[in-house]
Amino acid sequence: MYMPKPVPFAFVFDYLPRNVVTKSMFGMQYIYLGRKLMLMLRKSAKDLDMNGVWVATAKEHHQSLENDIPAMIGYVLDNGDMYESNWRLIKDDRDDFEEAAIKVCELIAHGDPRIGKLTKKAPL
């Protein structure tokens, strides 16, 4: 009998709008609001440094978001180089992880335009 994995960091749903949609892909939970991909939740035994709440944004918003939420960082590769992407990560091993994740969810709930990536169609 197949038992789905529990959604990691489920506390975020207490702070997100009620009409978000989740989609499970590649062992992660993707969170959409309308046609925008907002967050990705990842908790895996592999690549522990990639676990946490991933925030969909654009590079031009990185600095202002990091000013508002210092726990939000870029992803650093094993060789020490910064991986340049539109995503920002709040790592789950930080002391301020929950506080930072809640703040991101509150920004989403208040329609902060810096968060979210428009997708071609809404998830099913």
Side-chain angles (χ1 to χ4, degrees), residues 95-113:
D95 289 339
D96 59 350
F97 169 70
E98 284 193 25
E99 177 186 338
I102 289 168
K103 187 162 186 179
V104 166
C105 293
E106 289 172 342
L107 290 175
I108 292 168
H110 289 97
D112 192 307

Side-chain angles (χ1 to χ4, degrees), residues 3 21 23 57 61 69 89-90 118:
M3 295 291 292
V21 174
K23 189 170 183 178
T57 184
H61 302 307
I69 305 170
L89 171 62
I90 302 170
L118 195 60

Side-chain angles (χ1 to χ4, degrees), residues 39-52:
L39 302 172
M40 179 184 71
L41 309 177
R42 183 186 190 280
K43 182 74 171 173
S44 175
K46 295 179 183 176
D47 297 317
L48 298 176
D49 58 334
M50 294 180 70
N51 285 339

Side-chain angles (χ1 to χ4, degrees), residues 49-92:
D49 58 334
M50 294 180 70
N51 285 339
V53 174
W54 288 81
V55 181
T57 184
K59 291 176 186 173
E60 65 261 20
H61 302 307
H62 289 180
Q63 190 60 56
S64 66
L65 283 168
E66 290 168 15
N67 290 343
D68 291 347
I69 305 170
M72 190 182 302
I73 61 168
Y75 178 69
V76 179
L77 299 172
D78 289 339
N79 66 5
D81 291 341
M82 180 68 68
Y83 176 72
E84 285 299 323
S85 79
N86 288 322
W87 290 90
R88 282 297 179 250
L89 171 62
I90 302 170
K91 293 174 88 173
D92 71 338

